[in-house]
Amino acid sequence: MNMATTAQLFEEPFDADEYIERLAWRTPGGGSKGGAEAFDPKRLLEEFENHIEELKQLDEKIQRRVEKLEHQCHREAKEFAHKVQDLQRSNQVAFQHFQELDEHISYVATKVCHLGDQLEGVNTPRQRAVEAQRLMTYFNEFLDGELRSDVFTNPDKIKEAADIIQKLHLIAQELPFDRFADVKAKIASKYHDLERQLIQEFTTAQRRGEIGRMREVAAVLLHFKGYAHCVDVYIKQCQEGAYVRNDVFEDTAVLCQRVNKQVGEVFSSPEAVMAKLIQSIFENKLQAHVREKLDETRHSDVEQYLKNLYDLYTRTTALAAKLTEFNLGSDKHTFLSKLIKNIFSSYLESYIDMEKEYLRTRSALILQRYYDSKNHQKRPIGTGSIQELKERIRQRTNLPLGPSIDTHGETFLSQEVVVNLLQETRHAFERCHKLSDPSDLPKNAFSIFLLLVEHLCMDHIDYALEIGLSAIPSADAKNANLYFLDVVQQANTIFHLFDKQFNDHLMPLISSSPKLTECLHKKKEVIEQMEVKLDTGIDRTLNCMVGQMKHILATEQKKTDFRPEDENNVMIQYTTACSKVCAYVSRQVERVRKSMDGKNVDTVLTELGVRFHRLIHEHLQQYGYSSMGGMLAICDVAEYRRCAKEFRVPLVLQLFDTLHALCNLLVVAPDNLKQVCSGEQLTNLDRNLLHAFVQLRVDYRSTRLGRHFS
């Protein structure tokens, strides 16, 4: 077996058992090939011994090679270490040379800078001398009166000429006038001539849209006195053809948006140019537009004048808000506010006086047209001590002082009129908010509110209440038409509208000012004044209702109703008077519910119910009652109690429950009278009241019922 074959047996991965098996398999007679007869252990032993010898030789060979490689590695490591040491020494030397070079460069640089400073110190005066010599040469040409230099005769060198003439112009101003008057005049003439040429060239470039050329010329003109004129020309040309529509505000916004992009490319201080453009537009275009719109209607149509003033001022402030997005300098808000003030100041000074006069005239006209449509001539409402005395007497006694007026069911309150008055006032509040100076806003808003109170509350609502009070008939009037509840219903609706406008439009204008207290006090005063008259009218109306009930009872109730001739032949459930009174009361309860709202319904119905009970209670005490009559009285009171349920007021129902219990005393057996008087519903009543009811019985004396109360 050679070494190559042995090497093949050591291929990875190495397994010793597999290695022995392969070695035996390769040896003839050493494996299972050929059966047991072919197996030769001696041959296999010999093969193993030979192979072991070969492995020893291979091991020695490999060991020698390893030793050789280790020796070579040690030698190369020493060589590499020596090389690294040499490189470190070389690097140290190089670093030292670099430091020396850096110091030398710094030294040379210092020398060069010093030399540069010296050269500059020498060169600057030299350049100034050269520049002075050049200017003196050009000055001599002006002195001789003949401009020969190419810079003055070549149109393409206008930029260089402008620089020279601008410097000569400054120099000429320092020269004495008596000796150099002529040359100064020539330089000034050339200065102005070049200035005109530059402005003309700028204008031409602007018309052609040559932004680069415009920027160059503007930079040259920056040092000339005519630079401002150049800006003026630019602004004027920008506005040419810009106002093609009827909307000057929209055209202005579009123009400024377009110019704002351009001025930054042309001028060195675009914010100043932009501010000057806007100032020009405000002081010329906008001011002329505002004057034209307002002056034509100021004296001929005040309503249109106020609308135009509000619209123009609103649109102007909106335009100013848009313009704040542009760079106009450090305090652009103050700048724009001054421009707006300059346009509108003369109109805003007299605004509130015209607003109040228009509102006063317009409100009076709305009211007059309404009364004219009703063919009604307004009655003067008395004032002074006599009227106040009458009012106090009327409130305390409900006596009708003066003749009653027949209004034919007219309340003289109109929601259309109220809506028109509130709408006019709302527009006035909106204009006041926009057009008033912040310091005057609360005061102006309060004056508008006072006009609303005067025309809506006093001239319309209060007048209607006075007419309504005068139209309420006396308590003993028959078949009276009670229209005051309609007045109450409409007045309540109007109060809600009035209160809504107070909260929605007036409060935001005065909420943070001392005028808030005055407004709230005035509103409270007006409402309380109205409520007094409403309460008076409602009270007198309730008296009329009770009077009508009393009239029905007086005409329909007969004495024989409760003392029938035939006790055994009573076929009715309740009397005719009871039926008609209940029908009347039901109608009035429904009218009260329609006319009132909120807690006022329960308050008025409670008062009506108490008076209704008092009337029935007193009415029943006017008659004597037989046994069957007492039963009929109980049926009547039961019907009254059913009617009282419609009030939905517990107190009223309780009163009629008690009255029903009292009526039981008219029919109870004499022996049970004392027990009934001690019942739950009657035990807390005054015994005199119980006695009075028992005395109404026709058998009071015969059955000696008085002994129960002695």
Side-chain angles (χ1 to χ4, degrees):
M1 180 178 294
N2 54 27
M3 296 301 295
T5 301
T6 303
Q8 290 177 1
L9 296 175
F10 284 99
E11 291 179 355
E12 292 291 340
F14 178 76
D15 186 350
D17 293 337
E18 185 181 356
Y19 175 76
I20 297 297
E21 287 295 333
R22 283 189 292 173
L23 182 61
W25 181 77
R26 289 186 179 187
T27 303
S32 59
K33 186 176 180 180
E37 295 80 5
F39 179 70
D40 187 356
K42 292 183 179 181
R43 182 76 176 268
L44 183 60
L45 177 61
E46 182 181 354
E47 183 64 25
F48 278 179
E49 290 176 348
N50 293 334
H51 193 74
I52 290 172
E53 189 64 29
E54 289 179 1
L55 288 176
K56 289 181 179 179
Q57 295 176 3
L58 179 61
D59 179 63
E60 292 176 357
K61 183 178 180 180
I62 291 174
Q63 189 63 35
R64 287 195 298 271
R65 188 174 180 182
V66 167
E67 291 176 354
K68 181 180 179 181
L69 290 174
E70 286 179 348
H71 178 72
Q72 183 179 355
C73 181
H74 287 306
R75 181 170 49 79
E76 290 181 356
K78 290 180 180 180
E79 292 177 357
F80 181 76
H82 290 306
K83 188 179 292 185
V84 168
Q85 290 177 355
D86 293 340
L87 288 174
Q88 286 179 341
R89 285 193 294 270
S90 299
N91 182 56
Q92 289 177 351
V93 173
F95 182 73
Q96 291 176 353
H97 291 169
F98 174 78
Q99 285 183 325
E100 294 174 357
L101 181 61
D102 183 58
E103 292 174 357
H104 187 66
I105 290 173
S106 298
Y107 175 77
V108 172
T110 303
K111 290 292 185 180
V112 169
C113 289
H114 179 67
L115 181 60
D117 292 340
Q118 290 180 332
L119 290 175
E120 184 178 0
V122 173
N123 190 50
T124 299
R126 178 180 174 279
Q127 286 182 340
R128 290 176 181 173
V130 171
E131 180 68 16
Q133 182 183 15
R134 187 168 67 95
L135 290 175
M136 290 175 63
T137 302
Y138 296 132
F139 185 82
N140 285 333
E141 293 185 14
F142 281 97
L143 197 61
D144 297 340
E146 182 180 358
L147 301 179
R148 299 177 298 276
S149 298
D150 181 59
V151 71
F152 293 124
T153 58
N154 190 347
D156 295 331
K157 295 186 177 181
I158 188 172
K159 183 177 179 180
E160 293 82 351
D163 179 62
I164 293 170
I165 202 67
Q166 193 268 338
K167 293 176 179 178
L168 289 176
H169 186 260
L170 292 176
I171 294 172
Q173 290 178 350
E174 302 296 328
L175 299 176
F177 181 79
D178 52 349
R179 293 177 55 192
F180 298 96
D182 184 52
V183 70
K184 290 178 70 171
K186 291 178 182 179
I187 292 174
S189 175
K190 187 63 176 178
Y191 178 90
H192 293 304
D193 183 49
L194 278 175
E195 192 177 64
R196 283 192 298 270
Q197 291 181 42
L198 288 169
I199 292 175
Q200 182 60 41
E201 188 165 342
F202 181 88
T203 304
T204 303
Q206 183 179 1
R207 287 173 178 167
R208 293 176 179 175
E210 298 174 353
I211 303 298
R213 185 56 181 164
M214 290 170 63
R215 181 171 55 251
E216 292 178 5
V217 176
V220 175
L221 277 171
L222 182 62
H223 305 290
F224 279 75
K225 295 180 180 179
Y227 178 73
H229 182 58
C230 171
V231 174
D232 292 338
V233 169
Y234 174 77
I235 290 173
K236 181 179 179 181
Q237 285 202 167
C238 285
Q239 298 180 61
E240 290 180 0
Y243 294 92
V244 294
R245 291 171 288 187
N246 292 327
D247 193 341
V248 64
F249 297 97
E250 188 63 30
D251 286 339
T252 298
V254 173
L255 170 63
C256 292
Q257 190 72 40
R258 173 172 57 84
V259 173
N260 184 62
K261 298 178 181 179
Q262 192 178 80
V263 291
E265 301 175 358
V266 175
F267 297 98
S268 58
S269 55
E271 67 280 356
V273 178
M274 198 67 194
K276 196 168 185 179
L277 168 66
I278 292 174
Q279 182 177 358
S280 173
I281 293 173
F282 270 70
E283 292 179 351
N284 297 290
K285 200 70 179 180
L286 289 184
Q287 189 161 20
H289 177 71
V290 169
R291 187 181 295 114
E292 177 187 0
K293 286 285 187 181
L294 295 181
D295 290 354
E296 64 183 5
T297 57
R298 187 167 191 171
H299 302 291
S300 60
D301 188 348
V302 178
E303 179 181 8
Q304 191 60 46
Y305 167 79
L306 291 173
K307 289 181 180 179
N308 288 345
L309 178 59
Y310 175 76
D311 179 64
L312 290 170
Y313 189 83
T314 301
R315 299 198 67 187
T316 303
T317 52
L319 174 63
K322 288 183 181 179
L323 298 179
T324 55
E325 68 184 54
F326 305 133
N327 184 10
L328 306 177
S330 58
D331 198 359
K332 53 187 173 184
H333 294 284
T334 304
F335 169 70
L336 292 170
S337 297
K338 287 182 179 179
L339 294 179
I340 295 174
K341 185 178 180 180
N342 291 338
I343 295 177
F344 289 97
S345 59
S346 61
Y347 302 103
L348 297 181
E349 288 173 357
S350 60
Y351 154 69
I352 193 61
D353 294 330
M354 297 189 71
E355 183 72 80
K356 291 192 293 185
E357 183 61 30
Y358 164 73
L359 190 59
R360 184 179 292 108
T361 304
R362 179 64 178 168
S363 300
L365 179 62
I366 291 172
L367 291 172
Q368 190 58 48
R369 284 178 178 174
Y370 168 71
Y371 295 121
D372 289 345
S373 68
K374 300 294 181 181
N375 293 320
H376 175 75
Q377 181 67 35
K378 284 192 72 174
R379 298 171 62 248
I381 304 300
T383 56
S385 58
I386 301 297
Q387 179 65 22
E388 292 174 0
L389 178 61
K390 287 183 178 181
E391 184 64 27
R392 286 198 295 270
I393 294 174
R394 185 171 63 185
Q395 291 175 13
R396 296 184 180 183
T397 64
N398 286 305
L399 294 176
L401 302 179
S404 177
I405 300 174
D406 187 3
T407 60
H408 304 287
E410 179 61 56
T411 62
F412 292 104
L413 286 173
S414 168
Q415 285 200 29
E416 181 181 356
V417 169
V418 172
V419 169
N420 288 337
L421 289 174
L422 291 176
Q423 186 174 12
E424 292 292 344
T425 309
R426 178 172 63 83
H427 292 325
F429 280 136
E430 290 174 352
R431 290 192 290 263
C432 176
H433 187 200
K434 179 64 70 172
L435 301 176
S436 295
D437 187 89
S439 60
D440 296 330
L441 177 58
K443 177 184 67 177
N444 294 345
F446 181 64
S447 64
I448 293 174
F449 172 68
L450 291 180
L451 289 175
L452 176 64
V453 170
E454 176 186 346
H455 293 97
L456 175 61
C457 298
M458 308 309 298
D459 292 349
H460 191 55
I461 304 176
D462 189 70
Y463 178 75
L465 293 178
E466 287 288 347
I467 296 296
L469 287 172
S470 302
I472 298 175
S474 61
D476 56 357
K478 299 177 182 179
N479 299 320
N481 291 320
L482 304 176
Y483 295 114
F484 192 79
L485 290 179
D486 297 331
V487 176
V488 173
Q489 180 183 6
Q490 294 188 36
N492 280 335
T493 303
I494 294 171
F495 278 147
H496 288 311
L497 295 174
F498 172 75
D499 192 57
K500 178 173 174 55
Q501 182 162 94
F502 183 90
N503 293 325
D504 293 350
H505 296 97
L506 177 60
M507 284 293 289
L509 308 184
I510 61 171
S511 58
S512 58
S513 75
K515 286 293 180 183
L516 174 61
T517 305
E518 289 187 55
C519 285
L520 292 174
H521 177 73
K522 185 64 178 178
K523 177 188 173 186
K524 180 181 178 182
E525 177 186 325
V526 170
I527 291 179
E528 287 178 350
Q529 180 180 342
M530 301 292 179
E531 286 178 345
V532 168
K533 294 185 178 181
L534 287 171
D535 291 343
T536 302
I538 291 171
D539 185 63
R540 292 176 58 191
T541 300
L542 295 182
N543 284 342
C544 288
M545 291 180 182
V546 174
Q548 187 65 24
M549 296 180 217
K550 188 181 296 186
H551 174 70
I552 294 172
L553 292 171
T555 56
E556 298 294 336
Q557 197 84 69
K558 299 179 178 58
K559 290 185 178 181
T560 57
D561 286 343
F562 302 115
R563 297 179 68 176
E565 296 177 358
D566 187 355
E567 292 281 335
N568 299 318
N569 193 23
V570 178
M571 304 299 294
I572 60 175
Q573 295 180 346
Y574 41 80
T575 64
T576 303
C578 172
S579 175
K580 290 187 176 181
V581 167
C582 287
Y584 177 79
V585 170
S586 295
R587 291 196 301 272
Q588 302 314 312
V589 169
E590 187 62 28
R591 288 192 65 185
V592 170
R593 290 195 184 281
K594 290 182 179 179
S595 303
M596 309 289 174
D597 59 359
K599 295 181 179 180
N600 293 330
V601 177
D602 292 338
T603 302
V604 174
L605 287 180
T606 299
E607 183 63 27
L608 177 60
V610 170
R611 296 186 188 190
F612 175 37
H613 168 266
R614 185 184 304 121
L615 174 66
I616 300 302
H617 186 278
E618 294 173 354
H619 172 71
L620 291 174
Q621 291 182 308
Q622 298 176 8
Y623 300 93
Y625 299 89
S626 64
S627 177
M628 184 55 66
M631 292 298 296
L632 192 57
I634 290 175
C635 292
D636 276 5
V637 173
E639 185 64 15
Y640 290 137
R641 185 173 62 174
R642 185 197 60 77
C643 181
K645 290 181 179 179
E646 298 179 11
F647 285 74
R648 303 173 197 165
V649 178
L651 174 62
V652 176
L653 187 58
Q654 181 183 351
L655 290 173
F656 277 94
D657 286 341
T658 303
L659 183 59
H660 188 272
L662 283 171
C663 289
N664 286 332
L665 298 177
L666 302 175
V667 298
V668 69
D671 296 337
N672 297 331
L673 182 61
K674 188 173 183 180
Q675 180 182 355
V676 173
C677 288
S678 302
E680 181 181 353
Q681 289 184 314
L682 300 179
T683 186
N684 294 325
L685 295 181
D686 187 358
R687 290 186 63 80
N688 292 330
L689 176 61
L690 301 179
H691 191 193
F693 251 84
V694 173
Q695 286 178 320
L696 299 176
R697 293 173 58 145
V698 294
D699 62 348
Y700 174 74
R701 294 185 183 277
S702 61
T703 55
R704 297 174 59 201
L705 296 177
R707 58 189 167 84
H708 295 290
F709 299 96
S710 60

